[in-house]
mmCIF file of all heavy atoms in Angstrom:
data_model
loop_
_atom_site.group_PDB
_atom_site.id
_atom_site.type_symbol
_atom_site.label_atom_id
_atom_site.label_comp_id
_atom_site.label_asym_id
_atom_site.label_seq_id
_atom_site.Cartn_x
_atom_site.Cartn_y
_atom_site.Cartn_z
ATOM 1 N N THR E 8 6.062 26.423 47.283
ATOM 2 C CA THR E 8 6.089 26.267 48.726
ATOM 3 C C THR E 8 4.661 26.471 49.252
ATOM 4 O O THR E 8 4.098 27.545 49.063
ATOM 5 C CB THR E 8 7.000 27.232 49.406
ATOM 6 O OG1 THR E 8 8.308 27.139 48.817
ATOM 7 C CG2 THR E 8 7.153 26.972 50.878
ATOM 8 N N PRO E 9 4.097 25.485 49.937
ATOM 9 C CA PRO E 9 2.750 25.673 50.484
ATOM 10 C C PRO E 9 2.730 26.778 51.550
ATOM 11 O O PRO E 9 3.594 26.760 52.422
ATOM 12 C CB PRO E 9 2.374 24.343 51.097
ATOM 13 C CG PRO E 9 3.501 23.387 50.806
ATOM 14 C CD PRO E 9 4.656 24.179 50.233
ATOM 15 N N PHE E 10 1.837 27.693 51.401
ATOM 16 C CA PHE E 10 1.701 28.793 52.341
ATOM 17 C C PHE E 10 0.243 29.222 52.326
ATOM 18 O O PHE E 10 -0.222 29.760 51.334
ATOM 19 C CB PHE E 10 2.644 29.959 51.938
ATOM 20 C CG PHE E 10 2.558 31.172 52.801
ATOM 21 C CD1 PHE E 10 2.179 31.117 54.131
ATOM 22 C CD2 PHE E 10 2.864 32.412 52.229
ATOM 23 C CE1 PHE E 10 2.126 32.252 54.898
ATOM 24 C CE2 PHE E 10 2.823 33.593 53.053
ATOM 25 C CZ PHE E 10 2.465 33.464 54.370
ATOM 26 N N TYR E 11 -0.472 28.875 53.384
ATOM 27 C CA TYR E 11 -1.945 29.146 53.343
ATOM 28 C C TYR E 11 -2.465 29.226 54.775
ATOM 29 O O TYR E 11 -1.809 28.828 55.749
ATOM 30 C CB TYR E 11 -2.626 28.018 52.614
ATOM 31 C CG TYR E 11 -2.330 26.628 53.076
ATOM 32 C CD1 TYR E 11 -3.037 26.024 54.130
ATOM 33 C CD2 TYR E 11 -1.271 25.883 52.498
ATOM 34 C CE1 TYR E 11 -2.759 24.775 54.600
ATOM 35 C CE2 TYR E 11 -0.955 24.635 52.967
ATOM 36 C CZ TYR E 11 -1.708 24.066 54.028
ATOM 37 O OH TYR E 11 -1.366 22.823 54.483
ATOM 38 N N PHE E 12 -3.676 29.715 54.859
ATOM 39 C CA PHE E 12 -4.351 29.771 56.174
ATOM 40 C C PHE E 12 -4.975 28.422 56.520
ATOM 41 O O PHE E 12 -5.657 27.830 55.673
ATOM 42 C CB PHE E 12 -5.449 30.846 56.179
ATOM 43 C CG PHE E 12 -4.866 32.251 56.245
ATOM 44 C CD1 PHE E 12 -4.925 33.069 55.137
ATOM 45 C CD2 PHE E 12 -4.333 32.729 57.402
ATOM 46 C CE1 PHE E 12 -4.422 34.359 55.219
ATOM 47 C CE2 PHE E 12 -3.814 33.999 57.487
ATOM 48 C CZ PHE E 12 -3.831 34.824 56.378
ATOM 49 N N LEU E 13 -4.680 27.950 57.737
ATOM 50 C CA LEU E 13 -5.360 26.740 58.237
ATOM 51 C C LEU E 13 -6.719 27.198 58.872
ATOM 52 O O LEU E 13 -7.719 26.485 58.765
ATOM 53 C CB LEU E 13 -4.502 26.120 59.367
ATOM 54 C CG LEU E 13 -3.189 25.557 58.874
ATOM 55 C CD1 LEU E 13 -2.274 25.322 60.091
ATOM 56 C CD2 LEU E 13 -3.365 24.297 58.062
ATOM 57 N N VAL E 14 -6.685 28.345 59.515
ATOM 58 C CA VAL E 14 -7.861 28.885 60.176
ATOM 59 C C VAL E 14 -7.929 30.375 59.896
ATOM 60 O O VAL E 14 -6.894 31.044 59.936
ATOM 61 C CB VAL E 14 -7.776 28.678 61.736
ATOM 62 C CG1 VAL E 14 -9.022 29.232 62.394
ATOM 63 C CG2 VAL E 14 -7.552 27.243 62.073
ATOM 64 N N GLU E 15 -9.120 30.875 59.546
ATOM 65 C CA GLU E 15 -9.306 32.289 59.333
ATOM 66 C C GLU E 15 -10.334 32.768 60.334
ATOM 67 O O GLU E 15 -11.224 32.017 60.775
ATOM 68 C CB GLU E 15 -9.765 32.561 57.903
ATOM 69 C CG GLU E 15 -8.697 32.246 56.873
ATOM 70 C CD GLU E 15 -9.078 32.741 55.491
ATOM 71 O OE1 GLU E 15 -9.266 33.942 55.293
ATOM 72 O OE2 GLU E 15 -9.163 31.886 54.586
ATOM 73 N N PRO E 16 -10.273 34.044 60.666
ATOM 74 C CA PRO E 16 -11.222 34.568 61.662
ATOM 75 C C PRO E 16 -12.636 34.606 61.118
ATOM 76 O O PRO E 16 -12.863 34.690 59.909
ATOM 77 C CB PRO E 16 -10.702 35.993 61.942
ATOM 78 C CG PRO E 16 -9.913 36.347 60.732
ATOM 79 C CD PRO E 16 -9.319 35.093 60.213
ATOM 80 N N VAL E 17 -13.607 34.481 62.017
ATOM 81 C CA VAL E 17 -15.011 34.561 61.635
ATOM 82 C C VAL E 17 -15.666 35.701 62.392
ATOM 83 O O VAL E 17 -15.139 36.181 63.395
ATOM 84 C CB VAL E 17 -15.754 33.233 61.952
ATOM 85 C CG1 VAL E 17 -15.209 32.098 61.118
ATOM 86 C CG2 VAL E 17 -15.675 32.871 63.471
ATOM 87 N N ASP E 18 -16.849 36.101 61.931
ATOM 88 C CA ASP E 18 -17.558 37.195 62.569
ATOM 89 C C ASP E 18 -17.923 36.782 63.988
ATOM 90 O O ASP E 18 -18.360 35.625 64.242
ATOM 91 C CB ASP E 18 -18.832 37.521 61.792
ATOM 92 C CG ASP E 18 -18.541 38.097 60.416
ATOM 93 O OD1 ASP E 18 -17.345 38.369 60.147
ATOM 94 O OD2 ASP E 18 -19.487 38.297 59.611
ATOM 95 N N ILE E 19 -17.818 37.682 64.935
ATOM 96 C CA ILE E 19 -18.101 37.399 66.318
ATOM 97 C C ILE E 19 -18.996 38.496 66.905
ATOM 98 O O ILE E 19 -18.823 39.687 66.608
ATOM 99 C CB ILE E 19 -16.780 37.373 67.144
ATOM 100 C CG1 ILE E 19 -15.901 36.232 66.709
ATOM 101 C CG2 ILE E 19 -17.065 37.286 68.633
ATOM 102 C CD1 ILE E 19 -14.564 36.114 67.440
ATOM 103 N N LEU E 20 -19.982 38.044 67.649
ATOM 104 C CA LEU E 20 -20.826 38.949 68.410
ATOM 105 C C LEU E 20 -20.408 38.798 69.854
ATOM 106 O O LEU E 20 -20.419 37.689 70.416
ATOM 107 C CB LEU E 20 -22.292 38.607 68.235
ATOM 108 C CG LEU E 20 -23.283 39.416 69.095
ATOM 109 C CD1 LEU E 20 -23.226 40.887 68.710
ATOM 110 C CD2 LEU E 20 -24.708 38.889 68.928
ATOM 111 N N SER E 21 -20.022 39.891 70.501
ATOM 112 C CA SER E 21 -19.544 39.836 71.865
ATOM 113 C C SER E 21 -20.330 40.797 72.727
ATOM 114 O O SER E 21 -21.162 41.580 72.240
ATOM 115 C CB SER E 21 -18.032 40.200 71.914
ATOM 116 O OG SER E 21 -17.577 40.172 73.245
ATOM 117 N N VAL E 22 -20.076 40.765 74.003
ATOM 118 C CA VAL E 22 -20.635 41.762 74.923
ATOM 119 C C VAL E 22 -19.504 42.450 75.632
ATOM 120 O O VAL E 22 -18.386 41.963 75.720
ATOM 121 C CB VAL E 22 -21.594 41.080 75.992
ATOM 122 C CG1 VAL E 22 -22.840 40.533 75.312
ATOM 123 C CG2 VAL E 22 -20.852 39.971 76.766
#
Side-chain angles (χ1 to χ4, degrees):
T8 307
F10 178 28
Y11 53 87
F12 285 108
L13 297 164
V14 181
E15 293 189 61
V17 295
D18 294 353
I19 295 179
L20 175 63
S21 178
V22 293

